[in-house]
Amino acid sequence: MRNKMIHRKKKLIFAWMFTCLLLGNQCLAVTKQWLPNTNFDNPANWNKGRVPCAKDRVQLHGNKPVSVSLRSSHIISSLSLPMNGEVLFYDGAELSFNEDVSTDCEDPGDIHFVASVQNWFNPYNWQQIGVNKEPFRSSPVSILHTDNVPCVHDTVVFPQASSFMVKSVLPVRVAAVELLGEAQNSISFKDFYNSASGSMQFNFIGPTNITAVQCDDRTGCACGYWKFAETICSHVKCEEPICAGAFRPEGSCCDVCGTLLGLSLEQDFTMNDFKHRLANFSQTEYEGVSVATSKTESNVVQVLLIDQEGGNGAQKAAEQLKEVLISDKSFNVAGVRVLEQSGDKAIAEKPENSLIIPLAVGLCLLFLFIVAVIFLICSCTKRQSYPFVTVADGDIELTNIGNNQAVDYKENGELGEKQSSGQDASGEMSVENPLYDSSTK
């Protein structure tokens, strides 16, 4: 059976390599490995910070179902199991009960299993690894926190001979999953975590989707999880920056002190090659400066440099790096610019249709403005009474057509009213021009 599993795995690897060759070496597979486990041999899973010894009474019971992997032989005094739980024995594993064995046992007595359920979207639960399953970087968490969670084009690996407690209420979408030493698809993975044993290790409320779609852009792809930044950053504790010009780059949960660079790319630029070259260069040249590279949602390749000295070291390193990237043609970078840095960038879950609400509000305001303008125009054009002027023989006569009343302004300053509707004594309508002498008619 084991030989069949190995043969199948080799076939999958060969098929993947063949696909990469067909795509012109554009497969940018990034593999991220799950770190926490519920293994019996892990000292971090016990309240005393050590593995149980011969004189210990092991307590596995708790409020939640638990699955514990045992990969070696242990002698204990007693074992208390939960109502819903299991102990997985791997090859060579054995559990014996004998409290009389003479062994060094510090603080013997009750020892409790304290491993807890861990969130899929906690960036501290993942580590990028290389093709040989070795850690890709010395630090388990990138300074770009959202990129540390498996992105939509990444491969996820759960180590063999280990058990886990993983949960997620948000949708999980990745390119590939390796579990129990085998590649999974959406159906097989769902079948496992819905099984009796799998349900003790995985609790997914949201949907899971294994797409088998890798990033086919050689310049890199955006992670795709920036919309879940609020959930990811809820697991991150930020330190107060010590510089005045702190800013928050896309992908980071915290304000940082440093410099953010944007790259203009040559035709032969590849993200994988650039990251490896930059990592080797920065480790030897920029002591105390952390460097991270990613593709942003706006399709920009950004390089972030930060330090713990208020950003001065990162700024100097950025100036040197700009010259190196342009002069060294192996990086395939055409230009480098310092991106705008602002400390006002908010961390929040971005809805997929984030422009719909502002657009709707803007259209409503525009509609109300148009209605108000039309109302004012209509109000100003309503029929009004206008005075009609008649000047005759030195008298000024203002005739209000609307109420058929005329007011006489005479040379002696007296005012008088007379019945008039713009008619003379003969009953005919007349308007006299003061510039024209009526006596000349």
mmCIF file of all heavy atoms in Angstrom, residues 337-360:
data_model
loop_
_atom_site.group_PDB
_atom_site.id
_atom_site.type_symbol
_atom_site.label_atom_id
_atom_site.label_comp_id
_atom_site.label_asym_id
_atom_site.label_seq_id
_atom_site.Cartn_x
_atom_site.Cartn_y
_atom_site.Cartn_z
ATOM 1 N N ARG A 337 11.345 53.392 -8.098
ATOM 2 C CA ARG A 337 10.842 54.657 -7.564
ATOM 3 C C ARG A 337 10.362 54.437 -6.125
ATOM 4 O O ARG A 337 9.941 53.334 -5.757
ATOM 5 C CB ARG A 337 9.690 55.200 -8.417
ATOM 6 C CG ARG A 337 8.451 54.331 -8.379
ATOM 7 C CD ARG A 337 7.427 54.763 -9.417
ATOM 8 N NE ARG A 337 6.176 54.042 -9.313
ATOM 9 C CZ ARG A 337 5.959 52.825 -9.773
ATOM 10 N NH1 ARG A 337 6.939 52.180 -10.380
ATOM 11 N NH2 ARG A 337 4.779 52.245 -9.637
ATOM 12 N N VAL A 338 10.446 55.486 -5.333
ATOM 13 C CA VAL A 338 9.941 55.432 -3.964
ATOM 14 C C VAL A 338 8.440 55.678 -4.011
ATOM 15 O O VAL A 338 7.985 56.712 -4.520
ATOM 16 C CB VAL A 338 10.637 56.474 -3.063
ATOM 17 C CG1 VAL A 338 10.036 56.444 -1.659
ATOM 18 C CG2 VAL A 338 12.135 56.212 -3.001
ATOM 19 N N LEU A 339 7.659 54.725 -3.501
ATOM 20 C CA LEU A 339 6.210 54.849 -3.527
ATOM 21 C C LEU A 339 5.737 55.791 -2.441
ATOM 22 O O LEU A 339 6.401 55.975 -1.416
ATOM 23 C CB LEU A 339 5.557 53.481 -3.340
ATOM 24 C CG LEU A 339 5.836 52.438 -4.430
ATOM 25 C CD1 LEU A 339 5.147 51.116 -4.089
ATOM 26 C CD2 LEU A 339 5.357 52.927 -5.790
ATOM 27 N N GLU A 340 4.576 56.397 -2.667
ATOM 28 C CA GLU A 340 3.991 57.298 -1.673
ATOM 29 C C GLU A 340 3.707 56.530 -0.401
ATOM 30 O O GLU A 340 3.128 55.442 -0.429
ATOM 31 C CB GLU A 340 2.698 57.906 -2.219
ATOM 32 C CG GLU A 340 2.042 58.890 -1.271
ATOM 33 C CD GLU A 340 0.771 59.482 -1.846
ATOM 34 O OE1 GLU A 340 0.472 59.189 -3.012
ATOM 35 O OE2 GLU A 340 0.105 60.224 -1.120
ATOM 36 N N GLN A 341 4.097 57.088 0.706
ATOM 37 C CA GLN A 341 3.954 56.403 1.986
ATOM 38 C C GLN A 341 3.040 57.218 2.879
ATOM 39 O O GLN A 341 3.216 58.418 3.020
ATOM 40 C CB GLN A 341 5.324 56.216 2.645
ATOM 41 C CG GLN A 341 6.285 55.420 1.772
ATOM 42 C CD GLN A 341 7.713 55.486 2.274
ATOM 43 O OE1 GLN A 341 7.972 56.063 3.309
ATOM 44 N NE2 GLN A 341 8.629 54.890 1.537
ATOM 45 N N SER A 342 2.059 56.552 3.466
ATOM 46 C CA SER A 342 1.099 57.241 4.318
ATOM 47 C C SER A 342 0.755 56.364 5.503
ATOM 48 O O SER A 342 0.590 55.164 5.364
ATOM 49 C CB SER A 342 -0.179 57.575 3.534
ATOM 50 O OG SER A 342 -1.177 58.066 4.394
ATOM 51 N N GLY A 343 0.648 56.985 6.647
ATOM 52 C CA GLY A 343 0.252 56.251 7.835
ATOM 53 C C GLY A 343 -1.248 56.176 8.014
ATOM 54 O O GLY A 343 -1.732 55.670 9.017
ATOM 55 N N ASP A 344 -2.018 56.681 7.049
ATOM 56 C CA ASP A 344 -3.465 56.719 7.188
ATOM 57 C C ASP A 344 -4.157 55.552 6.509
ATOM 58 O O ASP A 344 -5.369 55.518 6.433
ATOM 59 C CB ASP A 344 -4.021 58.021 6.583
ATOM 60 C CG ASP A 344 -3.458 59.238 7.289
ATOM 61 O OD1 ASP A 344 -3.172 59.116 8.492
ATOM 62 O OD2 ASP A 344 -3.285 60.274 6.640
ATOM 63 N N LYS A 345 -3.377 54.611 5.981
ATOM 64 C CA LYS A 345 -3.988 53.500 5.255
ATOM 65 C C LYS A 345 -4.710 52.586 6.232
ATOM 66 O O LYS A 345 -4.134 52.102 7.184
ATOM 67 C CB LYS A 345 -2.925 52.714 4.488
ATOM 68 C CG LYS A 345 -3.513 51.703 3.521
ATOM 69 C CD LYS A 345 -2.454 51.171 2.589
ATOM 70 C CE LYS A 345 -3.062 50.277 1.532
ATOM 71 N NZ LYS A 345 -2.076 49.761 0.597
ATOM 72 N N ALA A 346 -5.979 52.355 6.010
ATOM 73 C CA ALA A 346 -6.781 51.594 6.963
ATOM 74 C C ALA A 346 -6.662 50.100 6.711
ATOM 75 O O ALA A 346 -6.500 49.664 5.586
ATOM 76 C CB ALA A 346 -8.250 52.019 6.875
ATOM 77 N N ILE A 347 -6.767 49.338 7.796
ATOM 78 C CA ILE A 347 -6.840 47.887 7.704
ATOM 79 C C ILE A 347 -8.295 47.508 7.906
ATOM 80 O O ILE A 347 -8.859 47.691 8.971
ATOM 81 C CB ILE A 347 -5.980 47.211 8.779
ATOM 82 C CG1 ILE A 347 -4.508 47.493 8.488
ATOM 83 C CG2 ILE A 347 -6.216 45.723 8.832
ATOM 84 C CD1 ILE A 347 -3.971 46.843 7.243
ATOM 85 N N ALA A 348 -8.885 46.990 6.851
ATOM 86 C CA ALA A 348 -10.288 46.599 6.948
ATOM 87 C C ALA A 348 -10.586 45.583 5.872
ATOM 88 O O ALA A 348 -9.903 45.501 4.869
ATOM 89 C CB ALA A 348 -11.200 47.821 6.779
ATOM 90 N N GLU A 349 -11.644 44.800 6.094
ATOM 91 C CA GLU A 349 -12.036 43.842 5.085
ATOM 92 C C GLU A 349 -12.634 44.606 3.920
ATOM 93 O O GLU A 349 -13.587 45.368 4.065
ATOM 94 C CB GLU A 349 -13.050 42.844 5.651
ATOM 95 C CG GLU A 349 -12.441 41.942 6.706
ATOM 96 C CD GLU A 349 -13.358 40.795 7.083
ATOM 97 O OE1 GLU A 349 -14.326 40.583 6.350
ATOM 98 O OE2 GLU A 349 -13.094 40.129 8.084
ATOM 99 N N LYS A 350 -12.086 44.379 2.738
ATOM 100 C CA LYS A 350 -12.539 45.086 1.556
ATOM 101 C C LYS A 350 -13.610 44.254 0.868
ATOM 102 O O LYS A 350 -13.344 43.148 0.426
ATOM 103 C CB LYS A 350 -11.376 45.314 0.588
ATOM 104 C CG LYS A 350 -10.327 46.261 1.094
ATOM 105 C CD LYS A 350 -9.100 46.251 0.236
ATOM 106 C CE LYS A 350 -9.381 46.601 -1.182
ATOM 107 N NZ LYS A 350 -8.212 46.597 -2.029
ATOM 108 N N PRO A 351 -14.839 44.746 0.760
ATOM 109 C CA PRO A 351 -15.836 43.980 0.041
ATOM 110 C C PRO A 351 -15.469 43.891 -1.424
ATOM 111 O O PRO A 351 -14.816 44.767 -1.976
ATOM 112 C CB PRO A 351 -17.133 44.793 0.256
ATOM 113 C CG PRO A 351 -16.663 46.171 0.586
ATOM 114 C CD PRO A 351 -15.344 46.014 1.283
ATOM 115 N N GLU A 352 -15.918 42.814 -2.048
ATOM 116 C CA GLU A 352 -15.536 42.585 -3.432
ATOM 117 C C GLU A 352 -16.049 43.693 -4.342
ATOM 118 O O GLU A 352 -15.460 44.012 -5.351
ATOM 119 C CB GLU A 352 -16.077 41.223 -3.889
ATOM 120 C CG GLU A 352 -15.412 40.061 -3.133
ATOM 121 C CD GLU A 352 -15.886 38.727 -3.655
ATOM 122 O OE1 GLU A 352 -16.727 38.723 -4.576
ATOM 123 O OE2 GLU A 352 -15.426 37.700 -3.163
ATOM 124 N N ASN A 353 -17.233 44.299 -3.988
ATOM 125 C CA ASN A 353 -17.778 45.390 -4.792
ATOM 126 C C ASN A 353 -17.720 46.673 -3.977
ATOM 127 O O ASN A 353 -18.728 47.279 -3.642
ATOM 128 C CB ASN A 353 -19.214 45.064 -5.208
ATOM 129 C CG ASN A 353 -19.285 43.840 -6.080
ATOM 130 O OD1 ASN A 353 -18.449 43.682 -6.963
ATOM 131 N ND2 ASN A 353 -20.269 42.977 -5.848
ATOM 132 N N SER A 354 -16.517 47.084 -3.633
ATOM 133 C CA SER A 354 -16.332 48.192 -2.706
ATOM 134 C C SER A 354 -16.748 49.541 -3.286
ATOM 135 O O SER A 354 -16.892 50.494 -2.557
ATOM 136 C CB SER A 354 -14.868 48.256 -2.258
ATOM 137 O OG SER A 354 -14.021 48.397 -3.379
ATOM 138 N N LEU A 355 -16.935 49.657 -4.599
ATOM 139 C CA LEU A 355 -17.281 50.940 -5.215
ATOM 140 C C LEU A 355 -18.784 51.120 -5.362
ATOM 141 O O LEU A 355 -19.246 52.201 -5.717
ATOM 142 C CB LEU A 355 -16.625 51.057 -6.596
ATOM 143 C CG LEU A 355 -15.095 51.153 -6.611
ATOM 144 C CD1 LEU A 355 -14.603 51.228 -8.046
ATOM 145 C CD2 LEU A 355 -14.619 52.362 -5.839
ATOM 146 N N ILE A 356 -19.583 50.083 -5.108
ATOM 147 C CA ILE A 356 -21.019 50.168 -5.364
ATOM 148 C C ILE A 356 -21.680 51.175 -4.435
ATOM 149 O O ILE A 356 -22.449 52.037 -4.873
ATOM 150 C CB ILE A 356 -21.664 48.780 -5.198
ATOM 151 C CG1 ILE A 356 -21.214 47.872 -6.342
ATOM 152 C CG2 ILE A 356 -23.181 48.898 -5.164
ATOM 153 C CD1 ILE A 356 -21.805 46.485 -6.273
ATOM 154 N N ILE A 357 -21.385 51.113 -3.142
ATOM 155 C CA ILE A 357 -22.039 52.005 -2.180
ATOM 156 C C ILE A 357 -21.663 53.463 -2.423
ATOM 157 O O ILE A 357 -22.547 54.327 -2.509
ATOM 158 C CB ILE A 357 -21.701 51.569 -0.744
ATOM 159 C CG1 ILE A 357 -22.304 50.185 -0.473
ATOM 160 C CG2 ILE A 357 -22.212 52.588 0.264
ATOM 161 C CD1 ILE A 357 -21.972 49.641 0.897
ATOM 162 N N PRO A 358 -20.345 53.808 -2.557
ATOM 163 C CA PRO A 358 -20.020 55.215 -2.844
ATOM 164 C C PRO A 358 -20.633 55.716 -4.143
ATOM 165 O O PRO A 358 -21.071 56.863 -4.239
ATOM 166 C CB PRO A 358 -18.490 55.218 -2.909
ATOM 167 C CG PRO A 358 -18.068 54.029 -2.118
ATOM 168 C CD PRO A 358 -19.122 53.008 -2.344
ATOM 169 N N LEU A 359 -20.680 54.852 -5.167
ATOM 170 C CA LEU A 359 -21.261 55.254 -6.451
ATOM 171 C C LEU A 359 -22.747 55.523 -6.307
ATOM 172 O O LEU A 359 -23.273 56.504 -6.856
ATOM 173 C CB LEU A 359 -21.004 54.159 -7.489
ATOM 174 C CG LEU A 359 -21.481 54.450 -8.916
ATOM 175 C CD1 LEU A 359 -20.791 55.691 -9.465
ATOM 176 C CD2 LEU A 359 -21.223 53.262 -9.817
ATOM 177 N N ALA A 360 -23.460 54.665 -5.566
ATOM 178 C CA ALA A 360 -24.898 54.849 -5.372
ATOM 179 C C ALA A 360 -25.185 56.149 -4.617
ATOM 180 O O ALA A 360 -26.101 56.902 -4.969
ATOM 181 C CB ALA A 360 -25.481 53.655 -4.617
#
